[in-house]
Amino acid sequence: FAEATTFWQLMLARGAQGAASAAVLCGGMSLIAETHPAAVRGSAMGLAQTGLALGLLCGPLIGGLLFQRLGRRRTFRLAAGIVLANAAAMMGLMGLAPPERTEPRVDGDSSSEEKANKSLASSSRRLLTNHDILAVTASTFIIHAVVGVIKPISQVVLDTEFGMDIVHRSFVISIATLAYLVTAPFSGVLSDRMSKPRLVTLSLLLMSASSAFFALRHLGIWAFYICVGLLGVAMGLQKSSSQSLLADLVDKH
């Protein structure tokens, strides 16, 4: 991002950013699922989502201020340094304190490993054709698709329709992140005590309401505030409950 001079370079940087984010989130949530029993898995995932929300809450605010003060290149160079420091810290922690799985692996001979590999391939095929898992996947796709549409358009709307600069736009978008920050751990605790599919369904209903308020923004900025607030609540509910549900389904099948 810092050195990009063309649209395609920005596209490439954005793609690399998405791939890195997917690797960290998928790997991190899988690690939590392996190291926490089902009874507390939702709470653990909710806590992890809280850390993510804190970063998303601080990032736009600090990034907007730095962008105005330092410019694009210095801001993204600083971000690159933070990412490298984070990667080094994760590798160091994994080396110093390796995670302990709830069900330790048992080493065996080559024939046992071959059978395990075949079993893994067979299990993967079953998981990819399981209706419950496909339903959770669909809910995740819908939530992120709506966020993917509203989030970039919001920047344009706040600029052209409400005349906000980048700092004020960052504050408004942070309403969603703040709602996400509050909802994620609460949703994780609820998912350990309530029906996870119902929580996922509730998140989809809230996302629908958020989209409706986005369409009603011509009534005033208050409609936009409600839109981004519901957006954050829906994301917090869906992520913690669906990831915990997905881990339960993988254990079951």
Side-chain angles (χ1 to χ4, degrees):
F1 284 108
E3 308 302 329
T5 56
T6 66
F7 173 78
W8 295 110
Q9 288 175 345
L10 288 173
M11 287 285 290
L12 179 62
R14 186 63 171 169
Q17 182 186 36
S21 177
V24 172
L25 288 177
C26 292
M29 291 302 159
S30 297
L31 184 60
I32 291 175
E34 287 184 356
T35 55
H36 291 76
V40 297
R41 189 174 288 155
S43 299
M45 289 186 172
L47 182 60
Q49 293 291 344
T50 303
L52 173 63
L54 281 171
L56 292 174
L57 179 64
C58 298
L61 298 176
I62 297 175
L65 292 172
L66 289 176
F67 193 90
Q68 281 193 333
R69 302 274 181 151
L70 303 179
R72 174 175 64 92
R73 291 191 173 183
R74 289 183 179 179
T75 300
F76 280 110
R77 286 170 182 170
L78 178 61
I82 294 173
V83 171
L84 289 175
N86 180 50
M90 286 192 292
M91 293 177 64
L93 288 173
M94 292 290 288
L96 293 173
E100 296 182 1
R101 292 177 171 82
T102 54
E103 296 181 0
R105 295 178 180 174
V106 179
D107 294 333
D109 55 21
S110 59
S111 61
S112 298
E113 292 179 0
E114 184 177 352
K115 290 180 181 178
N117 290 334
K118 291 182 179 179
S119 177
L120 178 61
S122 176
S123 298
S124 299
R125 285 193 294 271
R126 289 199 304 271
L127 293 175
L128 291 174
T129 56
N130 183 274
H131 291 168
D132 293 332
I133 291 176
L134 290 177
V136 177
T137 303
S139 73
T140 303
F141 173 81
I142 292 171
I143 289 286
H144 284 82
V146 174
V147 173
V149 171
I150 291 180
K151 187 176 179 181
I153 293 178
S154 296
Q155 295 286 346
V156 178
V157 167
L158 291 173
D159 180 22
T160 58
E161 297 183 15
F162 297 100
M164 293 186 179
D165 59 25
I166 187 171
V167 175
H168 288 88
R169 295 200 302 269
S170 298
F171 273 105
V172 173
I173 299 301
S174 294
I175 294 174
T177 310
L178 183 60
Y180 178 29
L181 172 65
V182 173
T183 307
F186 181 64
S187 173
V189 173
L190 283 180
S191 66
D192 289 333
R193 294 167 172 77
M194 294 177 58
S195 170
K196 296 181 180 70
R198 289 183 180 179
L199 289 174
V200 173
T201 302
L202 177 59
S203 71
L204 293 175
L205 293 175
L206 290 174
M207 186 61 76
S208 298
S210 173
S211 301
F213 276 102
F214 183 80
L216 295 173
R217 65 187 184 276
H218 64 277
L219 298 177
I221 190 64
W222 61 268
F224 196 88
Y225 291 157
I226 296 176
C227 165
V228 293
L230 289 175
L231 190 73
V233 173
M235 285 187 64
L237 277 175
Q238 196 276 339
K239 283 196 172 184
S240 296
S241 56
S242 67
Q243 288 171 352
S244 179
L245 174 60
L246 188 61
D248 292 347
L249 291 172
V250 170
D251 287 345
K252 178 181 178 181
H253 298 286

